Amino acid sequence: MRGRLDALTARDVELRADGSNPAEEARALSTAADQLIADAGDVELTFGAWHGDWTPWNMATTSSSLLVWDWERFTTGVPIGFDAIHFDFQRLLVRGLQPERAVDLTLGRADRLLAPFDVEGPAANLTALLYLIDLATRYLEDRQAEAGARLGVLGQWLLPILTRKVSSL
């Protein structure tokens, strides 16, 4: 993640049509990530793989199996539980919850969501916050704002939330 954030902060970009600045968003995200890592102390995480977009619309059940598609975001070396956090958060957003409320709900139930993976307490909270940083990094890498994505401009929703959450640790 550090390499991805460094690449984003080094990228030469122009202001968006709405006046938002992707370079400033990348720097703010990098600062939040640095603070989160520094504040994590000796919290231990277990790393594994994740689908990268584990959502109800990327799967279906049959009478005998589960079918899953859209594996292009599959990644290894991520904290165990990213898929569970992503599933919950995306489901809330699709239901129409305001993004800040969806973040609060998902963070509030990180312990329960991650307990089946033996991720609890500070490790669950850290995993959920790292997921949000990873998601924000993805949005910047993919230029979601420039593509017109509803939640693409991170400075309008996720960065202020992340900054508050990380600062309150």
Side-chain angles (χ1 to χ4, degrees), residues 69-129:
W69 49 89
D70 284 349
W71 288 88
E72 68 272 8
R73 295 202 180 273
F74 176 84
T75 308
T76 59
V78 300
I80 296 289
F82 267 26
D83 277 323
I85 298 295
H86 184 76
F87 187 95
D88 187 71
F89 183 60
Q90 295 300 316
R91 190 177 49 83
L92 293 172
L93 289 175
V94 168
R95 282 186 17 207
L97 263 69
Q98 292 289 23
E100 184 163 352
R101 180 72 178 132
V103 168
D104 285 340
L105 285 172
T106 297
L107 290 176
R109 50 189 178 211
D111 262 332
R112 183 174 51 83
L113 292 168
L114 300 178
F117 308 101
D118 295 323
V119 178
E120 299 174 345
N125 190 50
L126 178 59
T127 298
L129 288 168

Side-chain angles (χ1 to χ4, degrees), residues 9-75:
T9 57
R11 187 168 75 182
D12 187 28
V13 294
E14 295 180 21
L15 293 180
R16 297 183 187 115
D18 67 359
S20 61
N21 187 332
E24 285 180 13
E25 290 176 348
R27 284 190 292 277
L29 183 58
S30 187
T31 298
D34 290 343
Q35 184 177 351
L36 178 61
I37 291 165
D39 292 347
D42 59 356
V43 175
E44 290 188 30
L45 298 177
T46 303
F47 291 81
W50 76 313
H51 175 273
D53 198 11
W54 190 260
T55 55
W57 49 91
N58 282 337
M59 62 183 75
T61 56
T62 69
S63 61
S64 62
S65 64
L66 174 67
L67 304 173
V68 180
W69 49 89
D70 284 349
W71 288 88
E72 68 272 8
R73 295 202 180 273
F74 176 84
T75 308

Side-chain angles (χ1 to χ4, degrees), residues 141-169:
E141 288 172 328
D142 292 350
R143 300 176 188 226
Q144 290 290 307
E146 292 83 346
R150 178 176 72 94
L151 298 176
V153 182
L154 298 175
Q156 293 178 356
W157 73 284
L158 188 51
L159 284 174
I161 297 168
L162 268 173
T163 300
R164 280 195 307 275
K165 297 293 183 187
V166 168
S167 294
S168 68
L169 293 178

